[in-house]
Amino acid sequence: MTAVLQTQGLGKRYARKWALSDCTLDIPAGRVVGLVGPNGAGKSTLLNLAVGMLTPSSGAIEVLGAPPATGPSQLAKVGFVAQDTPTYAGLGIADHLRLGARLNPGWDHDLAQARITRLGLDRSQRAGNLSGGQRAQLALTLGIAKRPELLILDEPVASLDPLARREFLQDLMEAVADQELSVILSSHLVSDLERACDYLIILVDSRVQVAGDIDHLLATHHRLTGPRRDLDRVPAGQHVISARHTERQTTLLVRTDGPVLDPAWTVSELSLEDLVLAYMSRTREVDNSRPTLEVAR
Amino acid sequence: MTWITWRQLRAQVLVVYAALAAVAAALAITGPQLADLRRTNPADFLVLFPQDGTYKPLYFVGGAVVYALPVVIGAFWGAPLVARELETGTHRVVWNQSITRNRWLATKLGLAGLAALVAGLISLAVTWWCAPIDAAVNSTEPDGGFFNITRMSAVLFGARGVVPIGYAVLAFVIGVTAGLVLRRTVPAMAATVVAVVAIQVATPLFVVPHLISPERLTTAITATNLRGMSLSADDDMVTDIRINLDKPGAWILSNETVNSSGQVVDELPAHEADCAPRTGELADKASSPGPPASCFEDLAAAGFQQEVVYQPADRYWLLQSIQTAILLSLAVLLSGFCFWRIRRDFT
Amino acid sequence: MIEFHLDGRSGVSPYLQLVQQVRRALRLGLLAEGDQLPTVKDVVGQLAINPNTVLKAYRELEHDGLVAARPGVGTFVTRTLTDDTLAAHAALRLSLQRWLTKAREAGLDEESIEALFLTTFRTAREDIA
C-alpha cells in the first residue's frame, strides 16, 4: 500500500531559522493522523510542504507516491483546508460550489449539495457573512466534494466554539467513514484529536518527537512509579521520556516494546494527553541540558 | 478557471467598459459634425473648433481617457487580481483545487486581452474623432497654440493609434506583477499607478524619438524661416534661435544654432539681436516688422547655421508599431517573471 | 437501536467503551437477537470519533460471536447475553454480602475493602489466565 505521506530528512528554513528539521515520516494509507504540538512547532510548515505551498529546504517529501502539487492529477488527489479556512468573501456559497465543480474533475456535485442543504446554509449568502463555523464547514465541503484520497486540514477547529468544533469533527469523521479517505489534521490541543485520530505525530521545536498508531503508542508507553533511583539503571530497551524525582520517589515515563518486569515499579497506563505532554515537556528538559536518554524513533 | 477569474474581475471590467461606452457614444455622435466643420471652414478650423462648447471638452476628455485607461486597468484590474488573493489567503483555496499555479496565473494574465480590446476600441474612437484635427494640424505650420499640437509629439503620440493598446496590456501585467511581489492590494495599486505613469511620461520623451535615427537638417537662418528668438533679460544676448522647418507634422526633437564647426551655440553675440523683432523676448515674426536683411548675412558670415533634428511625419505608423511592439515585449517579459516568481513559497 | 456515548474521563479507550456498552445492552436485554447496531457512519457522525474505532469495536463483538456484519446492510445482533447465569446472581450476591459484613466486623473500612477486593480479583484473574 502506498504511503500517504513519506518524508526523508525533510527540513524547511525561513531566513536562518529552521521551522522544520530532519523530519522522517512514513504514514500508511487509511489513517486519520493527528499532528500535535505547541503553536510555532512547525505543524503548518509540514502541512504546507505536503500540499506544495512550500518547497523543502532539505530532504524529500512524497504525497501518495509523488512530489506534492506537481500537476493537475496530483492536485486532484489531495484536498487542503488551510488554516483559518479562507474563502472568497465576495462570493456566495453557490459560487464556491461552482468553483469546486469547475476546477475539479472528480467533483461530487450531489455530495456538495447535500452537505450544504444539511448545514442549512443559504446558497446565495456571501461567504464573508458566514460565521467561523459555517465558513469552516464550507471549506470542508470544498475539500470533501473534491473526492481526494488524502485530506489535509491545518488547525481546522482552532477558532471554532465547542459546538461548531464538535459538528465539524462529526462531519469530517462521517466523510472518512463514507469515502475511504486518509486524513491529516493538526491541532495544538490533543483533546481535539483524541477521538478522531488513530495515528499521532508529535512535533515540538521543529522536530518530530514521536509518530505512530495511537494504540501502539499507548501500549508501549508506561508510567513507572517506585522508590527513588538513578536513571542509568533503566534496562535496555526502555527509553525514558521524562523523569521526575522526589526525595523518596521516582516517576518515569518510559517507552518500551516489552513488558516492565522490575517488581519495584508500579506500572500504570498513560492517557494520550499525558503522553503528548510528556513529549512536549521533554524538549524543554533537553534544552536545560539535563542528561536524558534519547528516544529511538 | 476562466469563470472564477471573470467572476472576480467582472465589476471592474463592466465599470470601465460602461464609462468608455459613454465616451465613445459622445465621440460617435459629434465626430461627423466635427468633420463637417473642417470641410466647411478649412482655413480657420483649428481656431473655430476650440470655441465650440462640445468639441473642446471632448478633445480633452478623449486624450485624458486614452492616457488614464492604462493606469486604471493596471491599478483596478491587474493589481487586485493577484494581490487580493494573496492578501485574503484565497490562493490557498484555489491552488489546492485540481489546477496548477501556472494555469491559474495564465488565466489571470489572459485577461490582458480584455485590456487590449478596450484600449484598442477607445483609441480607435479617439483617433477617428480627432482625425480632422490631426489632418488640419499636419497641413499647416505649427503656431505653438494648444490646439495645434501634432500627433507626432511627446504629448499626443501615446494618445492615438495602437500605442494605447501596448500601454494597457503592459499596465495590466505590471499590476499583476506588483500584486504578486507586494502581496497586498493597496500598495500594489499605488506601485502600479507610479510605474505606469512613469512609463507613459518617459517613453515618448526619451525612448520613442530615438527608436529610428532622426533626420538632421542644417540650413541657413533666413528672414523667411526664422520663427523666433530668445534674448537674455539683462544684457540682450541672444540665447536661442528657432526656425520653421516647413515639414508639417514632423516631430521636432531639437532646433538649435550651430557654429561653423558644427557645435551648438548657447549664446550669440548681442548684435545678432538685430535680427529679432523689436519687442518681446520671444516674438512672432508674423506680428512684427521684418528685421534688417543685413543681420542674416552677418549670421551666415559668422558661420552660424540652424540645425533641426526631427522625425518626419510619415514615420508615424512605423514608430507607433515599434513602440507598441516594445511595450508588448515588456509585458511578455514581465509575465515570464511572474511565472518564475509564482514557484516560490506562498503560505 | 441503541445510542452510544463516550466518557472522556473514564480512562477506558473509546473502542472498549463501545464494546462494553453493547455487551451491557445485551446483558440487560436492551438488544435482542436480530436487532441492528447503529451504522459506523451514524456512530461516527454522532460521537465525532474515528470510524476505525467503531469498526474495531464491531469486529471484536463479531469475534466474540455476539454480532454479525451483513455487507451493505449493517451489523446485527446474533446472540444475547441475558443468559442462564442470571439465576445464580441472587445466591452469589448473598454470599458477597455476608463476606462484606465479616470484613466490616474485622475493622476494615470501605477503602481497605475495595483494595482487598481488587487485588484478590486481579490475582485470581491472573491465576486463571
Side-chain angles (χ1 to χ4, degrees):
Chain A
M1 198 182 256
T2 324
V4 292
L5 177 66
Q6 206 164 22
T7 66
Q8 191 68 50
L10 181 68
K12 180 68 195 176
R13 191 180 51 202
Y14 296 115
R16 283 202 200 133
K17 192 183 180 311
W18 285 88
L20 186 71
S21 39
D22 196 25
C23 167
T24 299
L25 291 169
D26 189 354
I27 301 174
R31 300 295 199 283
V32 178
V33 180
L35 176 60
V36 285
N39 288 326
K43 302 189 294 293
S44 273
T45 302
L46 176 57
L47 297 184
N48 277 298
L49 284 164
V51 294
M53 299 292 285
L54 298 176
T55 47
S57 307
S58 69
I61 179 166
E62 282 199 350
V63 176
L64 299 164
T70 35
S73 62
Q74 174 71 10
L75 283 162
K77 288 197 271 183
V78 182
F80 183 50
V81 176
Q83 195 162 13
D84 305 324
T85 56
T87 49
Y88 290 94
L91 297 191
I93 289 173
D95 286 332
H96 279 85
L97 299 188
R98 204 165 159 196
L99 177 149
R102 283 176 174 261
L103 300 187
N104 297 290
W107 182 256
D108 191 334
H109 175 80
D110 296 340
L111 176 76
Q113 294 297 334
R115 265 188 61 81
I116 296 300
T117 306
R118 197 162 52 82
L119 292 166
L121 294 176
D122 173 7
R123 282 174 176 72
S124 61
Q125 199 175 356
R126 284 175 170 227
N129 298 335
L130 297 175
S131 71
Q134 289 171 327
R135 228 181 45 233
Q137 288 282 16
L138 177 59
L140 180 63
T141 304
L142 276 179
I144 292 175
K146 181 184 175 182
R147 287 281 185 173
E149 291 175 34
L150 169 66
L151 183 61
I152 296 176
L153 305 100
D154 192 359
E155 295 265 6
V157 296
S159 58
L160 304 186
D161 61 67
L163 182 63
R165 192 175 283 220
R166 178 71 177 267
E167 285 170 352
F168 185 91
L169 289 174
Q170 282 171 341
D171 284 12
L172 178 62
M173 287 303 114
E174 269 191 50
V176 173
D178 250 8
Q179 297 183 20
E180 294 181 354
L181 191 63
S182 300
V183 173
I184 303 177
L185 73 162
S186 68
S187 176
H188 59 278
L189 297 173
V190 67
S191 55
D192 286 338
L193 308 177
E194 201 163 7
R195 289 176 170 190
C197 299
D198 48 18
Y199 193 101
L200 194 71
I201 302 169
I202 301 177
L203 193 61
V204 183
D205 284 350
S206 84
R207 282 173 189 278
V208 173
Q209 305 297 317
V210 70
D213 281 312
I214 288 179
D215 286 347
H216 180 72
L217 291 179
L218 290 175
T220 52
H221 287 77
H222 309 281
R223 180 187 285 117
L224 310 183
T225 21
R228 185 180 171 120
R229 62 162 77 180
D230 287 334
L231 289 181
D232 47 15
R233 286 174 52 204
V234 170
Q238 290 186 7
H239 306 281
V240 177
I241 313 302
S242 76
R244 291 227 301 271
H245 305 274
T246 64
E247 276 173 39
R248 299 254 177 95
Q249 198 183 38
T250 291
T251 305
L252 298 184
L253 228 146
V254 298
R255 171 185 173 144
T256 171
D257 289 327
V260 178
L261 298 170
D262 191 337
W265 291 120
T266 304
V267 183
S268 53
E269 300 305 312
L270 283 177
S271 72
L272 197 60
E273 190 150 13
D274 291 338
L275 192 150
V276 170
L277 289 175
Y279 276 103
M280 285 193 189
S281 46
R282 187 174 77 112
T283 43
R284 219 171 298 144
E285 287 168 19
V286 172
D287 284 346
N288 297 343
S289 60
R290 283 241 318 247
T292 313
L293 297 178
E294 184 59 27
V295 171
R297 287 194 284 274
Chain B
M1 189 62 224
T2 315
W3 169 77
I4 179 70
T5 311
W6 164 245
R7 182 72 183 72
Q8 287 168 293
L9 199 62
R10 188 168 73 178
Q12 296 100 298
V13 170
L14 292 181
V15 165
V16 167
Y17 269 78
L20 293 187
V23 173
L27 294 177
I29 293 166
T30 54
Q33 299 161 8
L34 185 68
D36 274 346
L37 183 67
R38 179 167 184 241
R39 245 188 314 275
T40 48
N41 301 283
D44 44 5
F45 172 65
L46 289 176
V47 181
L48 276 179
F49 95 84
Q51 292 168 3
D52 187 282
T54 314
Y55 303 141
K56 187 177 167 185
L58 270 180
Y59 182 78
F60 288 117
V61 167
V65 159
V66 174
Y67 274 123
L69 184 68
V71 181
V72 169
I73 284 178
F76 290 92
W77 294 13
L81 204 54
V82 168
R84 190 167 294 152
E85 297 238 26
L86 297 178
E87 192 171 47
T88 58
T90 48
H91 65 292
R92 294 183 292 169
V93 177
V94 72
W95 290 357
N96 284 289
Q97 308 304 316
S98 311
I99 59 151
T100 57
R101 287 184 199 187
N102 280 349
R103 208 178 124 208
W104 174 85
L105 182 61
T107 312
K108 299 232 167 197
L109 287 171
L111 289 183
L114 280 178
L117 180 66
V118 69
L121 288 175
I122 197 66
S123 176
L124 179 70
V126 171
T127 307
W128 168 78
W129 191 86
C130 290
I133 301 172
D134 290 339
V137 170
N138 283 357
S139 62
T140 57
E141 279 297 321
D143 64 2
F146 194 86
F147 297 96
N148 200 341
I149 300 173
T150 166
R151 59 182 188 171
M152 283 283 271
S153 62
V155 181
L156 290 187
F157 192 74
R160 311 263 201 281
V162 292
V163 166
I165 299 177
Y167 280 138
V169 171
L170 179 59
F172 182 84
V173 178
I174 287 175
V176 170
T177 310
L180 195 58
V181 173
L182 299 173
R183 303 189 187 189
R184 306 246 323 270
T185 308
V186 174
M189 289 170 78
T192 304
V193 169
V194 171
V196 173
V197 170
I199 288 172
Q200 283 180 325
V201 170
T203 38
L205 281 179
F206 308 115
V207 181
V208 181
H210 309 291
L211 292 174
I212 311 170
S213 60
E215 296 288 315
R216 205 170 282 272
L217 180 84
T218 311
T219 180
I221 302 161
T222 65
T224 41
N225 72 8
L226 180 71
R227 186 161 130 212
M229 265 185 192
S230 305
L231 306 180
S232 63
D234 44 353
D235 52 6
D236 269 5
M237 292 284 274
V238 177
T239 55
D240 193 20
I241 293 178
R242 296 195 166 211
I243 64 164
N244 280 319
L245 188 60
D246 195 27
K247 290 189 190 299
W251 188 330
I252 310 289
L253 304 178
S254 74
N255 191 338
E256 290 168 320
T257 311
V258 292
N259 60 21
S260 49
S261 52
Q263 285 159 332
V264 175
V265 189
D266 285 335
E267 266 188 359
L268 289 98
H271 63 87
E272 309 295 3
D274 291 347
C275 298
R278 293 288 171 266
T279 53
E281 283 210 313
L282 181 68
D284 193 298
K285 70 179 164 75
S287 62
S288 57
S294 65
C295 88
F296 293 103
E297 287 158 19
D298 287 351
L299 271 174
F304 291 120
Q305 283 188 304
Q306 193 74 0
E307 186 184 65
V308 183
V309 181
Y310 67 101
Q311 292 284 4
D314 60 6
R315 288 185 183 170
Y316 181 71
W317 286 107
L318 182 59
L319 285 172
Q320 280 264 327
S321 316
I322 297 176
Q323 191 194 348
T324 309
I326 290 174
L327 294 174
L328 293 178
S329 308
L330 282 176
V332 170
L333 277 177
L334 266 185
S335 302
F337 169 79
C338 288
F339 279 107
W340 170 78
R341 175 86 186 187
I342 204 172
R343 301 200 322 243
R344 290 172 57 139
D345 290 345
F346 287 91
T347 52
Chain C
M1 186 84 71
I2 58 167
E3 198 174 90
F4 292 109
H5 56 268
L6 286 182
D7 182 354
R9 284 168 302 175
S10 71
V12 179
S13 70
Y15 107 89
L16 212 52
Q17 291 191 40
L18 298 184
V19 172
Q20 286 172 351
Q21 282 169 37
V22 172
R23 296 184 76 99
R24 198 176 307 133
L26 291 170
R27 191 159 280 133
L28 296 172
L30 289 172
L31 280 174
E33 234 174 285
D35 283 350
Q36 189 181 0
L37 293 183
T39 64
V40 173
K41 195 183 163 188
D42 285 344
V43 181
V44 154
Q46 185 212 336
L47 298 177
I49 60 170
N50 189 305
N52 293 335
T53 308
V54 187
L55 285 170
K56 191 174 167 194
Y58 282 15
R59 265 203 306 274
E60 177 150 327
L61 290 164
E62 208 175 341
H63 184 257
D64 292 348
L66 298 173
V67 301
R70 285 186 226 152
V73 189
T75 308
F76 295 85
V77 175
T78 51
R79 187 161 71 81
T80 60
L81 287 172
T82 50
D83 52 10
D84 33 334
T85 64
L86 211 56
H89 281 197
L92 284 168
R93 180 176 295 149
L94 197 65
S95 58
L96 191 57
Q97 271 169 357
R98 277 196 208 112
W99 180 84
L100 282 171
T101 318
K102 268 194 227 165
R104 286 231 172 74
E105 282 167 4
L108 276 73
D109 59 6
E110 280 192 11
E111 218 169 285
S112 316
I113 293 173
E114 207 178 308
L116 182 58
F117 177 82
L118 277 176
T119 37
T120 316
F121 184 78
R122 268 199 208 118
T123 15
R125 197 169 53 177
E126 275 161 27
D127 287 349
I128 293 163

